[in-house]
Structures are given as C-alpha cells and as structure tokens.
Amino acid sequence: MSQRNDKKSLQLDSIESLASALKQGIFSNIVVLIGAGISTAAGIPDFRTPKTGLYDNLDKYSLPHPTAVFDIEFFRRNPQPFYKVAKELMPISPEPTFAHRFLSVLNEKGMLRRIYSQNVDGLELAAGVAPSRLVQAHGSMASAHCIDCHAEIAIDKVKQAIQNDQIPVCENCTGVVKPDIVFFGEGLKERFFTLSIDDLRCADLLLIIGTSLVVMPVASLPAMVHDQVPRVLINMEPSGDIGTRPNDLLLLGDCQETIKRLASLCGWQDEIQRQKL
Ligand code: CNA
C-alpha cells in the first residue's frame, strides 16, 4: 500500500489521535475551512450564534430579512444598515486569535495546503499565513471600490467614515463605496473555483473551524474530499454533514480552547505563543 493510501485510511477518533498524527508529520496537504467562529475571540461577532450573533441584533434596521444587510440589491437602495454593522465587523485593530496562529504554524511546518476562509477580517494574514495559502472566499475588508464607477477608494478613508458613522462616497462620481466583500447576489472570485477542486481532491486532512456550514458554495467543500480522508469539525455545535462518515471527528466546544489543547498535545504552544511577539 502506498503512503498516500495509508493516509487515506487513517482513523482519527479523538483529539489525542489527531495530535499524534499532526506531531508525526503524517499530513502534508491539510485543507482548512474557517468561518466567523474562529474570530469571535478577537471581539468580532459571528452571524448566527443566538443572542450575540449579528443576525439576532438587527431589529433596529427594520430589514425585510436579516441577510438583506449583505444583499447587493438592498445595499444599492439602502447602504446604511450595512455600514452600521460594518463598524462591528471592523473593530479598530483586532488581533489574530490563538487558532489563527495555530494555522500559521501549520503553514510554517509545510503541512498546510490551503485555508478557505469565509471571513472578511484578514486575521489569517495578520497571523502570518502566506497569501498564497489563503483563499478569502468572501473577499476582504482590506480594500474598497465604488459600486458605480468602480474606482478604488483608500480603505483608511472608508474605515474613518465607518468609525464616524458616515457612509463613504466616491470622490469621482459620488457613488456608494463598498468594501471588497462578497454580498449575497454576487459571485465568488475565480480563485475559489480554480483552486478548490484540486485542493479538496488532494487533501489528506480537512479541518473545519467555527462555521455553521450554511453559506454556499463554501458549504459544499467538505463533501468534495475523498471518503476516507479524515474531516475534523472544531465548532461550538454540529454543522453540515460532519459526523456522517466513519472518518469524521467532532470536537465540539469553544474552538480556541480545543485548539489550545491540540497545540499542547502536539507540544507546539511555545511556537504559537512566540508568534505573538
Ligand atoms: P455563522 O453562520 O455565524 O456561524 C458561526 C459558527 O461558529 C456557529 O456554528 C457557531 O456556533 C460557531 N462559533 C461561534 N463562536 C465559536 C467559538 N468561540 N468556538 C467554536 N465555534 C464557535 O458564520 P459562518 O462563518 O459559518 O457564515 C459565513 C458568513 C459569516 C460569511 O459570509 C462571513 O463573511 C460572515 N462573517 C464573517 C465575520 C468575520 O470576518 N470575522 C464575522 C461575521 C460574519
């Protein structure tokens, strides 16, 4: 049996067996899928956690439905709710969490094939993950364009307007400015589609962290890995169909605590702590 087949039939049934496999360097093509839950410890609320999630705190905007705040057609008519919410999504200077730094260490160790992030906060890059290893599937708040003339607008001006409770407008044409995040009703960047098929086909481990796995097409990625490849969900609650395959492992609870425990079992805490300096 080839080494690749050995990896494919690897059974992970606990955090200890996952740590042992990571420590032994068994994986060289780890694909990671992350969502808003990895960044809540940085002070950025997620969407769907009851009470604290953004969707439970939108009553004041009289929206037709919570997702309207990120709907491109609604935004064209009324950008104000988005900009109120953006203030929460864009704290002044959020720090990468322990879990982000753990991913950066996987990158340094040459184990990481790709991170598919649904987040727009850029904390993966802030943690030191190489841009080539990251697909920001839903774009990023690091740049912005006018929705009418498409001119790029300096992001610092946009951030300043957001902090001052203003709606940034284009200096060329007075059109509304939108950070380069993907709204409902918009397509994902080509990079997502060109990389994801090969990445998921070649993955030897899929780590899924802090996501409800409801937003398509990202939510379809876990089904694309080979049947025998371990899929590990590190999340507060079950999500997607993780748990339905024999090689699935659910590590439920706070993802920062789970990843701290994982790092400790791997003996990598010092490396991760050093990254903070
Ligand atoms: P979601 O639908 O809000 O789900 C978040 C998931 O994370 C839920 O299953 C929670 O139970 C779980 N969770 C929350 N906190 C923790 C924690 N500390 N430990 C473990 N699990 C936790 O968010 P998704 O990412 O699944 O949905 C995709 C949306 C969210 C994307 O379009 C993003 O752009 C959008 N979003 C991004 C950010 C950000 O960039 N930080 C913030 C809020 C929303």
Side-chain angles (χ1 to χ4, degrees):
M1 199 186 281
S2 71
Q3 198 194 3
R4 188 170 160 74
N5 284 338
D6 280 348
K7 280 198 282 187
K8 276 187 176 176
S9 57
L10 184 73
Q11 190 89 41
L12 300 178
D13 54 11
S14 62
I15 191 168
E16 287 80 10
S17 58
L18 171 61
S20 162
L22 286 170
K23 212 171 154 179
Q24 288 173 59
I26 285 177
F27 305 114
S28 53
N29 274 310
I30 301 176
V31 174
V32 184
L33 169 49
I34 64 177
I38 196 174
S39 294
T40 51
I44 306 173
D46 67 3
F47 278 174
R48 293 180 180 82
T49 291
K51 297 199 178 113
T52 57
L54 284 172
Y55 286 165
D56 258 8
N57 290 283
L58 296 171
D59 289 353
K60 47 191 175 282
Y61 305 123
S62 312
L63 297 165
H65 49 88
T67 51
V69 72
F70 296 106
D71 181 296
I72 189 64
E73 291 312 321
F74 184 87
F75 178 81
R76 282 180 187 283
R77 293 194 303 275
N78 181 8
Q80 195 167 32
F82 168 76
Y83 274 109
K84 295 264 184 223
V85 166
K87 196 170 177 178
E88 288 184 64
L89 272 180
M90 227 179 181
I92 306 276
S93 42
E95 292 275 327
T97 68
F98 187 91
H100 288 97
R101 296 201 302 273
F102 175 86
L103 299 182
S104 181
V105 166
L106 289 183
N107 183 185
E108 276 172 20
K109 291 182 180 299
M111 298 173 160
L112 181 69
R113 185 175 176 102
R114 209 84 63 194
I115 297 174
Y116 284 83
S117 177
Q118 297 167 92
N119 295 345
V120 296
D121 54 35
L123 291 182
E124 313 83 7
L125 297 173
V129 171
S132 62
R133 296 283 163 199
L134 176 67
V135 174
Q136 291 177 308
H138 295 164
S140 140
M141 297 282 266
S143 57
H145 285 82
C146 169
I147 59 170
D148 292 330
C149 76
H150 308 295
E152 182 161 6
I153 315 296
I155 194 65
D156 286 346
K157 285 190 178 171
V158 178
K159 286 183 179 174
Q160 194 61 57
I162 292 172
Q163 291 309 322
N164 295 340
D165 297 317
Q166 292 164 349
I167 297 175
V169 287
C170 175
E171 286 170 8
N172 294 339
C173 74
T174 69
V176 177
V177 173
K178 181 173 89 59
D180 294 339
I181 67 177
V182 179
F183 274 32
F184 293 110
E186 293 186 301
L188 274 62
K189 290 263 164 31
E190 198 49 38
R191 182 172 152 76
F192 173 86
F193 299 101
T194 49
L195 292 177
S196 58
I197 293 176
D198 275 356
D199 279 352
L200 276 298
R201 196 173 51 84
C202 295
D204 50 15
L205 171 69
L206 178 66
L207 287 181
I208 305 165
I209 307 169
T211 172
S212 59
L213 285 179
V214 296
V215 180
M216 291 300 242
V218 174
S220 67
L221 297 184
M224 289 162 61
V225 297
H226 191 283
D227 276 353
Q228 302 301 314
V229 169
R231 303 186 304 176
V232 179
L233 175 70
I234 302 176
N235 202 48
M236 207 63 98
E237 54 182 1
S239 62
D241 73 340
I242 312 302
T244 59
R245 294 186 184 179
N247 278 353
D248 287 351
L249 173 62
L250 271 70
L251 300 175
L252 300 184
D254 176 54
C255 63
Q256 305 298 333
E257 292 309 314
T258 303
I259 291 177
K260 278 180 195 159
R261 168 116 178 93
L262 186 59
S264 156
L265 289 165
C266 292
W268 296 348
Q269 314 96 300
D270 290 350
E271 251 170 288
I272 295 172
Q273 291 300 351
R274 267 200 304 275
Q275 282 214 320
K276 212 175 173 181
L277 304 176

